[in-house]
Amino acid sequence: MPTPPVPTPDPAVTPARARFAAPGSVARAILLMIGAVFCFTLMDSVAKALTGRVGVVPTLWVRYLGQTVVVLLLVSPRLFSVLRTRYPGLQALRSVYLLCATAFFFWGLSNIGIAQATAIMNVNPLLITLGAALFLGERIGPRRALGVVAALGGALLIIRPGTEVFSPYALLPLGAACFYSAYALTTRFVGRDEDRWTSLVYTGLLGAVVMSCIIPFHWPTFDRTSLLLVGALALLATLAQLLLITALQQGEAGMLAPFAYTGLLFATLWGLLFFAEVPDAWTFAGMAVIAGAGVYVWHREAARPTPTREAPR
């Protein structure tokens, strides 16, 4: 999976539950979220280095196989109950969406700067807001619609089609954002009736099976450096996933949402340290527009009125 996109809050539960969260628990959840983003962006840097040595397909295979092994180990005591799903077709479809998103993102990473790719990918929360209105019947007001348009404008500042700095590879993270948005919307639908772990198992399992069938036709020669990168990718992917799961268990997705944009800072840092990539002024401007629009839409989502509920006794 690429850098974790910003979680979208459930306005029916987030504000009410956030008010009763213990301060220590909130701080711990925020630190866990930032730690997860740190590991995900560092994993993307490793993936960028690895795709340059062995190609995109082997890198995807390592990524999905590592995730699947970790998740299966975590759910092994109740594996058979977790594997039961009411939506086998939709589970397969959402897994395909995420596989396409990861493939497009890794392909883009191998050809453009990591800060650029991460910034463009971060338009997905706004696309999710738009998709929820179009396909799930959720209401989107003019202010949130303006946020979506602003984020796409920020992406265009980075991609700059029609200029001499334009690269068609910059469209790949945008495609990844679209696929991820489709994945998130499908997940939101099945999540009404499915266990979170069920969705997590199927997400990694289908990708691992598909990539394991493809990898024999793209088997590379792994030198010592490549093997070290493979180990780092598996380790970071595992740690990032565990930190993210723990953060979402201790804090509400809506409360944690803005902290996912720290990924833009980390991605810029890794690009500078590992690949000598220095984003230009237009890229920084696009990052600021995307992050600002995302935080604004998050604020509007979190501020939506919640249904009146009887207080717990």
Side-chain angles (χ1 to χ4, degrees):
M1 189 173 75
T3 302
V6 184
T8 50
D10 180 353
V13 297
T14 296
R17 290 180 60 183
R19 284 196 295 269
F20 294 104
S25 176
V26 170
R28 189 162 50 248
I30 290 172
L31 289 175
L32 287 167
M33 183 66 184
I34 294 174
V37 175
F38 178 93
C39 290
F40 272 118
T41 54
L42 190 55
M43 181 200 74
D44 289 340
S45 299
V46 173
K48 180 177 176 66
L50 189 58
T51 55
R53 303 182 72 90
V54 301
V56 174
V57 171
T59 304
L60 283 170
W61 175 66
V62 170
R63 173 68 185 90
Y64 270 94
L65 188 63
Q67 174 183 332
T68 301
V69 169
V70 170
V71 173
L72 288 178
L73 287 174
L74 290 174
V75 302
S76 57
R78 56 189 188 101
L79 179 60
F80 291 107
S81 63
V82 168
L83 287 175
R84 286 197 293 268
T85 175
R86 296 178 58 183
Y87 306 104
L90 286 177
Q91 288 287 6
L93 182 62
R94 59 182 288 279
S95 299
V96 170
Y97 284 147
L98 186 61
L99 178 59
C100 291
T102 310
F104 272 54
F105 188 72
F106 280 7
W107 188 9
L109 272 181
S110 65
N111 290 280
I112 65 172
I114 185 172
Q116 289 175 286
T118 302
I120 297 169
M121 181 68 186
N122 269 285
V123 304
N124 78 82
L126 294 307
L127 297 180
I128 292 171
T129 298
L130 180 62
L134 294 176
F135 303 113
L136 298 182
E138 297 184 10
R139 182 179 175 275
I140 177 172
R143 294 179 181 178
R144 282 192 288 272
L146 182 61
V148 173
V149 173
L152 293 177
L156 289 176
L157 284 177
I158 299 172
I159 299 171
R160 278 166 281 172
T163 67
E164 61 181 13
V165 298
F166 169 71
S167 168
Y169 292 111
L171 297 175
L172 292 171
L174 187 59
C178 292
F179 275 117
Y180 188 88
S181 300
Y183 158 80
L185 291 170
T186 312
T187 300
R188 183 180 293 186
F189 179 81
V190 302
R192 298 167 180 170
D193 304 302
E194 297 275 59
D195 184 280
R196 177 186 299 177
W197 288 98
T198 299
S199 294
L200 193 58
V201 166
Y202 281 103
T203 296
L205 189 59
L206 187 139
V209 170
V210 170
M211 297 314 301
S212 295
C213 293
I214 296 175
I215 190 64
F217 302 100
H218 298 269
W219 189 259
T221 300
F222 289 100
D223 57 20
R224 182 177 299 179
T225 302
S226 298
L227 289 174
L228 288 174
L229 290 172
V230 165
L233 183 67
L235 178 63
L236 287 168
T238 300
L239 183 58
Q241 198 70 44
L242 291 175
L243 286 172
L244 181 61
I245 290 171
T246 307
L248 292 173
Q249 287 174 339
Q250 298 195 18
E252 289 297 326
M255 179 269 294
L256 295 173
F259 298 96
Y261 285 106
T262 57
L264 295 175
L265 300 177
F266 292 137
T268 302
L269 177 62
W270 305 143
L272 180 62
L273 291 179
F274 301 139
F275 307 104
E277 298 171 351
V278 182
D280 59 19
W282 287 106
T283 299
F284 280 120
M287 288 180 182
V289 171
I290 291 170
V295 171
Y296 176 75
V297 170
W298 161 80
H299 172 73
R300 296 297 303 176
E301 290 288 343
R304 288 167 63 183
T306 59
T308 303
R309 296 185 181 185
E310 184 180 356
R313 300 181 182 180

